[in-house]
Amino acid sequence: MPKDLAAQLIEQLQLAGVQRIYGIVGDSLNPLVDAVRKTGGSAKGGIDWIHVRHEEAAAFAAGAEAQLTGKLAVCAGSCGPGNLHLMNGLYDANRTGAPVLAIASHLPSKQIGSDFFQETHPDRIFVECSVYSELVSTVEQAPRVMRSAISHAVGLGGVAVVTLPGDIASLPASAPTPLWRAPNPASIVPAPESVAELAAAINQAEKVAIFAGAGVQGAHDEVIAFAELINAPIGHSLRGKDFIQYENPYDIGMTGLLGYGAAAEGIEDADLLILLGTDFPYDQFLPDTRTAQVDRAPEHLGRRTDVDIAVHGDVLPTLQALMPLVEAKKSSKFLDQILKKHDRLMNKAVGAYTRKADKLVPIHPEYAASLLDEIAADDAIFTADTGMCNVWTARYINPLGTRRLIGSYLHGSMANALPQAIGVQAAYPERQVISVSGDGGLSMLLGELITAAAHNLPVNVVVFNNSTLGMVKLEMLVDGLQDFGVDVPDTNYAAIAAAMGFHAVRVTDPAGIADAYRAAFAHNGPSLVELITDPNALSIPPKIKGGQVIGFATAMSKIVLNKGAGEAVSMARSNLRNIPRG
C-alpha cells in the first residue's frame, strides 16, 4: 500500500533528526498525527507526540529545545485558532534564532478563500515571525516545501512554517523524497582592513571596556585573553551571561534595568567601548563614547548606537586576527578601579538581601535565588519567566560554564518558563531542569503543569509568588505612577500542583527553603516549590538616574496618601537600603 503524504513528510522530519513534535491534535492535523503514531515513538526510532495544553506552549517548548540543542525542533497546530496560538512562541523562537519548524494545518483546499469556518491564512500571518512560510498546494510540491522549510530553519537560524491543508496530507505521496543533509556551520572571518582599524583604535585608547553578548559563545577563553592583554573590564548582556561570566576575573556584571555590578560605570568611563557579539537593544544604557562593534550579522552593526568602527565577523576569528596586532596595555589603573567598584557593589546592593535573610518574613526573593544557585546541580538548566524572575536569576544564578539559563530575553513574553522547561526536559531527560516561574507567568499557562505530569517529565518548578506583577509595579513607580491593576489574589499553587500529581510544597518560612529544594530535586517526577515572597522587593538598577528617583519618590507619596504610611515604609525598607551609593 503506498504511503500517504503525511507519512512522507514525517519521514522527512525523521531523516532530519526530529524526535518529538509538540502540539494539540485537531481534525485538520489528524493525518499528520496518525503518521507520527505509526513511527512507534522515539524509543523505536520514531517521533513522539508531546500533547501540550495550549499551542503557545508547544511553540515555546520547541523553541527552547532548538535553542539548547542547536537542532531542528517541531511544533504543530490545527487550522484556525489552533495554529494562531503558536504565534507568540514562534515570535520568541525566531527572535532567538532557534531552528524551529511549525506545521500549521489548514482548511480543506477547496474551502480556502471562501470565508469558511475557522478560516485564516497561516502562510500570510506567520511571515513576520519566520524566515520561511509557504503553503502546500499539491502532493507533488509538498516534499520540496518541507525540505526548504528544514533548510531555512537550520541554515538561517529561525522559524519555518509549512501550511498544510488536511485533505492534501491524506492523499497518496507521488513525488520522491528530497535528500537533506545538515551543513556544518561556517565562521565569518572579518576583512583585514576592519581588523587593522580596530587594532589601531585599541592601541590609541587609554581605557578600553568590553561589552559581550551571546555572540561570544565558543570564544570564552579568547575573550578573557583579549581582556587580559588590554586590561579591559568585561560587562555582558543577559544573553551573554551563560558564555562569559564564569571563570572571568574581569567580569563587572550587567547593565540595563535588570543589571548589577559596575558594568554601567565601566562601559561609560571607557575611551573605547567594544561591543562583542551583542545587539543590546537598550540604547539609553549605552554611553556616548567611541565605540567599536563586532557582529556576524552586518545589519546589527550600528543600529543601537553610533559605531565608529564596524567589524563584520564572528567573535572568535576576529579576536584571533586582532590580538597579534594589539599592543599590551601597561597600566591596569582603569581595570583595577572598575573591579574594585564591582566588588563593592556585589557585596552591597546585590548581596544585601542574602545576608541574615534566613529569618526575614516574607521571604526575600534574592535569598531564595541565592539558595537555588547553591543547591541546584552544576549542570542544571534554568528557564526564567519574564519580569522579576529575570532579575533574580540574572543576579544570583552562576552559569559555571556547565549550566544554561534561558528565557524570553528578546521577545519578553510572560509565561515562557514552564513550557520552555518542558521542551528542555524532553530533550535532556537526565539533566536537572528548573523553571523559575513568577506567579503571574505560571498562572497564565497553568495547564502546562498537566503536560509535565502526563508525560512524567521530572521538571522542577520554583514559583516566586508575591501575588503581584512585580516588574510592571516597578515600571509604574519609576514613571511616577501609583501601582494599579498589578495585584493578584493569593493562590495556593502548591495545592494545585499536588492535585495534578506533582510533589509540591508551599514555603512561607525562609528556614525551610533549602530542605524544600533538596526534596523537590531528589523527587523522581515533576515537582513544585512555591515560595511566598516579599511583594515589595523590587529591582534596583545598578545606575540610578535623577528622573527615576523622582518618579519613585512621586509614586511613594501617592501610596502614602492613598494606602497609608505602613506600606510605603515597608517598601522603603525592602528597597531603598539597596540603592548603590558609589
Side-chain angles (χ1 to χ4, degrees):
M1 181 177 179
K3 60 186 173 185
D4 59 24
L5 177 62
Q8 183 181 29
L9 299 182
I10 292 300
E11 181 184 344
Q12 286 183 265
L13 295 180
Q14 285 183 261
L15 293 172
V18 173
Q19 292 183 292
R20 60 196 65 83
I21 298 175
Y22 305 88
I24 299 177
V25 177
D27 57 354
S28 57
L29 263 181
N30 285 346
L32 200 79
V33 175
D34 191 55
V36 172
R37 176 189 64 81
K38 291 175 181 177
T39 68
S42 61
K44 296 182 179 180
I47 293 179
D48 293 326
W49 180 264
I50 307 297
H51 179 192
V52 297
R53 267 62 199 171
H54 194 290
E55 289 91 350
E56 179 179 353
F60 271 124
E65 177 185 328
Q67 189 178 158
L68 268 293
T69 65
K71 299 177 181 179
L72 183 70
V74 181
C75 58
S78 58
C79 68
N83 58 57
L84 288 182
H85 287 164
L86 295 170
M87 185 169 290
N88 192 48
L90 293 183
Y91 260 98
D92 184 86
N94 200 51
R95 284 179 165 157
T96 306
V100 170
L101 190 149
I103 300 173
S105 68
H106 204 0
L107 302 176
S109 53
K110 71 176 183 179
Q111 302 293 355
I112 296 174
S114 66
D115 196 21
F116 194 71
F117 174 65
Q118 293 188 323
E119 181 168 8
T120 60
H121 294 89
D123 52 312
R124 305 176 198 170
I125 292 170
F126 289 104
V127 166
E128 190 173 306
C129 61
S130 67
V131 295
Y132 179 88
S133 181
E134 191 56 71
L135 170 68
V136 170
S137 301
T138 69
V139 174
E140 293 79 13
Q141 169 211 19
R144 296 179 63 188
V145 168
M146 181 62 78
R147 189 202 180 283
S148 292
I150 294 170
S151 296
H152 279 77
V154 174
L156 295 179
V159 170
V161 181
V162 174
T163 300
L164 181 64
D167 60 319
I168 294 179
S170 61
L171 295 175
S174 61
T177 301
L179 182 66
W180 184 82
R181 291 290 182 268
N184 293 319
S187 293
I188 298 177
V189 178
E193 298 83 358
S194 298
V195 175
E197 184 182 10
L198 178 55
I202 294 170
N203 292 335
Q204 181 183 1
E206 181 180 347
K207 299 181 293 184
V208 182
I210 296 169
F211 188 63
V216 302
Q217 183 177 7
H220 174 277
D221 293 350
E222 288 75 12
V223 176
I224 301 301
F226 177 53
E228 181 178 12
L229 180 67
I230 61 175
N231 287 326
I234 304 174
H236 59 80
S237 68
L238 182 53
R239 293 183 70 220
K241 175 184 173 73
D242 272 10
F243 310 117
I244 199 61
Q245 182 188 340
Y246 68 95
E247 296 178 6
N248 180 358
Y250 310 109
D251 178 54
I252 57 169
M254 282 172 45
T255 191
L257 186 62
L258 309 187
Y260 60 88
E265 183 169 326
I267 65 176
E268 193 170 87
D269 291 347
D271 299 328
L272 176 66
L273 172 64
I274 304 176
L275 304 175
L276 285 181
T278 181
D279 189 34
F280 185 73
Y282 305 104
D283 58 335
Q284 66 268 38
F285 290 98
L286 294 174
D288 182 16
T289 190
R290 185 167 171 78
T291 301
Q293 185 176 5
V294 178
D295 205 291
R296 74 183 333 267
E299 69 272 18
H300 291 178
L301 297 171
R303 76 171 177 178
R304 305 302 185 187
T305 186
D306 289 341
V307 169
D308 300 279
I309 303 165
V311 181
H312 177 211
D314 283 316
V315 171
L316 180 57
T318 298
L319 293 182
Q320 290 171 335
L322 177 67
M323 289 177 65
L325 306 179
V326 171
E327 301 166 1
K329 299 290 184 189
K330 296 180 180 180
S331 173
S332 63
K333 182 179 178 181
F334 171 62
L335 173 62
D336 294 340
Q337 287 176 340
I338 298 301
L339 289 176
K340 185 176 180 180
K341 170 84 170 179
H342 180 67
D343 180 68
R344 186 164 67 249
L345 289 171
M346 291 300 291
N347 287 288
K348 185 178 182 181
V350 174
Y353 279 137
T354 62
R355 294 189 295 271
K356 300 181 180 179
D358 58 334
K359 296 180 176 61
L360 296 176
V361 177
I363 293 169
H364 283 237
E366 296 88 341
Y367 177 64
S370 179
L371 283 179
L372 182 60
D373 177 63
E374 292 177 18
I375 295 171
D378 286 349
D379 66 344
I381 302 174
F382 300 84
T383 62
D385 261 339
T386 296
M388 299 309 295
C389 287
N390 276 168
V391 177
W392 313 139
T393 52
R395 295 182 180 182
Y396 294 98
I397 300 300
N398 291 298
L400 304 179
T402 52
R403 290 172 168 172
R404 288 300 308 272
L405 169 62
I406 65 171
S408 184
Y409 296 149
L410 297 179
H411 188 51
S413 175
M414 286 181 65
N416 61 284
L418 176 57
Q420 285 183 328
I422 288 171
V424 173
Q425 192 74 82
Y428 296 98
E430 303 304 320
R431 287 181 71 171
Q432 185 182 87
V433 178
I434 302 170
S435 170
V436 184
S437 301
D439 57 300
L442 180 66
S443 60
M444 188 176 284
L445 286 176
L446 187 62
E448 298 312 318
L449 292 175
I450 299 175
T451 303
H455 292 277
N456 197 31
L457 294 170
V459 172
N460 301 284
V461 182
V462 176
V463 186
F464 284 67
N465 185 359
N466 60 4
S467 295
T468 191
L469 302 178
M471 183 60 72
V472 181
K473 186 173 186 175
L474 174 62
E475 291 166 348
M476 288 179 170
L477 292 172
V478 168
D479 286 340
L481 305 173
Q482 179 183 337
D483 60 291
F484 178 77
V486 294
D487 294 330
V488 180
D490 181 39
T491 302
N492 192 324
Y493 294 101
I496 294 172
M500 295 182 184
F502 276 62
H503 164 88
V505 61
R506 194 177 219 221
V507 183
T508 58
D509 186 338
I513 297 174
D515 287 343
Y517 284 160
R518 291 190 180 97
F521 299 162
H523 177 67
N524 184 24
S527 72
L528 183 143
V529 175
E530 181 183 14
L531 307 169
I532 307 305
T533 60
D534 185 357
N536 292 325
L538 303 176
S539 167
I540 298 298
K543 193 172 184 66
I544 297 176
K545 299 180 180 179
Q548 292 174 315
V549 174
I550 293 171
F552 191 87
T554 302
M556 291 289 282
S557 67
K558 293 177 182 176
I559 289 171
V560 171
L561 291 173
N562 296 327
K563 295 187 179 180
E567 182 170 342
V569 170
S570 175
M571 187 175 292
R573 287 174 177 169
S574 294
N575 294 285
L576 296 185
R577 65 176 178 169
N578 292 305
I579 294 178
R581 292 179 174 83

